[in-house]
Amino acid sequence: MKTIAERLKTARDYIERTTIDAHRPTKSVQLLAVSKTKPVSDIEQAYEAGQRLFGENYVQEGVDKVQALEHLSDIEWHFIGPLQSNKTRLVAEHFDWFQALDREKIARRLHEQRSPHKSPLNVTIQVNIDDEHSKSGVSPDDVMALADAIQQYPRIVLRGLMAIPKADSSDAQQYASFSNMLALFERLKQQYQTADTLSMGMSSDWQQAIIHGSTMIRLGTAIFGPRQ
Ligand SMILES: *Cc1c(COP(=O)(O)O)cnc(C)c1O
């Protein structure tokens, strides 16, 4: 069995090589370690190996981990799961990023609940790029309207887009989804200077995501092993 530190090193090496092969600047792709369902001790091991960005999907589990690791103050915590409006306060109070924004109501609540003593909460709009009923996210046609609506809430800042493309699609379909995301992201960047993040790519598809301009890949299984 490989250790978390070894898996992280392997992932970083592959990411760097793929980034160079894609003719993109080194360090232009960040690695988010998705630690959902995994114990605090796994996060500590990854931290020791230099990892600083962590992603959680479930509100209470995430808050418990943030609090348990409060002494590691340079961790950047990303909430990446769907969020019900009655749980927004916990995300506004404990996380640095929320990646799954898909409606204005949630944006308004996060703004109202974010402390003025903290830096604004970073958000990415989740795009339902393959129009799947099982997934949240706005349709590509609605991205610019939501981006515009967010501008009235200064306690949150628009950082870009996030997507979870369909898992079992053909290579051609996967290329199309990633290309469509990149085109949307380019449009968003032209309009909003704060938009610098395209969060796409997971353990099974991150190479294609990097080739298509992803700036943040989210790896769970590849770092921490399979989940139960
Ligand atoms: C679980 C999850 C991941 C990580 O998935 P792996 O396939 O284990 O790498 C990435 N992004 C989101 C939104 C997730 O929910």
Side-chain angles (χ1 to χ4, degrees), residues 169-183:
S169 55
S170 65
D171 284 356
Q173 175 60 48
Q174 199 186 56
Y175 280 37
S177 303
F178 283 141
S179 311
N180 291 340
M181 282 301 298
L182 182 57

Side-chain angles (χ1 to χ4, degrees), residues 12 30 49 83 90 143-144 146 155 207:
R12 286 188 195 122
Q30 288 188 294
L83 181 60
L90 288 167
V143 167
M144 296 311 279
L146 181 55
R155 305 304 308 150
Q207 285 104 332

Side-chain angles (χ1 to χ4, degrees), residues 106-126:
I106 300 284
R108 175 169 40 79
R109 291 178 65 90
L110 290 169
H111 159 76
E112 286 167 358
Q113 294 165 344
R114 183 74 169 176
S115 159
H117 303 295
K118 288 190 171 203
S119 54
L121 181 72
N122 300 288
V123 300
T124 57
I125 294 174
Q126 182 173 355

Side-chain angles (χ1 to χ4, degrees), residues 125-131 138-144 161-166 169 171-189 198-200 208-209 211-214:
I125 294 174
Q126 182 173 355
V127 185
N128 191 350
I129 195 64
D130 294 318
D131 194 22
V138 300
S139 84
D141 290 342
D142 295 333
V143 167
M144 296 311 279
L161 303 176
M162 184 272 256
I164 310 172
K166 218 168 156 187
S169 55
D171 284 356
Q173 175 60 48
Q174 199 186 56
Y175 280 37
S177 303
F178 283 141
S179 311
N180 291 340
M181 282 301 298
L182 182 57
L184 270 174
F185 179 53
E186 295 294 346
R187 237 182 105 192
L188 192 77
K189 273 203 299 194
L198 179 55
S199 172
M200 63 181 190
Q208 277 307 321
I211 290 166
H212 288 92
S214 169

Side-chain angles (χ1 to χ4, degrees), residues 34 36 57 80 162 164 201-204 218-222 227:
V34 178
K36 64 182 176 204
N57 278 60
I80 62 176
M162 184 272 256
I164 310 172
M202 302 170 38
S203 291
S204 56
R218 310 179 305 266
L219 301 186
T221 311
R227 291 179 291 275

Side-chain angles (χ1 to χ4, degrees), residues 10-19 24 29 31 174 178 200-212 214 216-219 222:
T10 304
R12 286 188 195 122
D13 289 348
Y14 278 136
I15 290 166
E16 187 176 338
R17 206 173 317 152
T18 306
T19 307
R24 297 185 49 199
V29 181
L31 169 58
Q174 199 186 56
F178 283 141
M200 63 181 190
M202 302 170 38
S203 291
S204 56
D205 61 4
W206 62 267
Q207 285 104 332
Q208 277 307 321
I210 289 179
I211 290 166
H212 288 92
S214 169
M216 185 182 291
I217 57 174
R218 310 179 305 266
L219 301 186

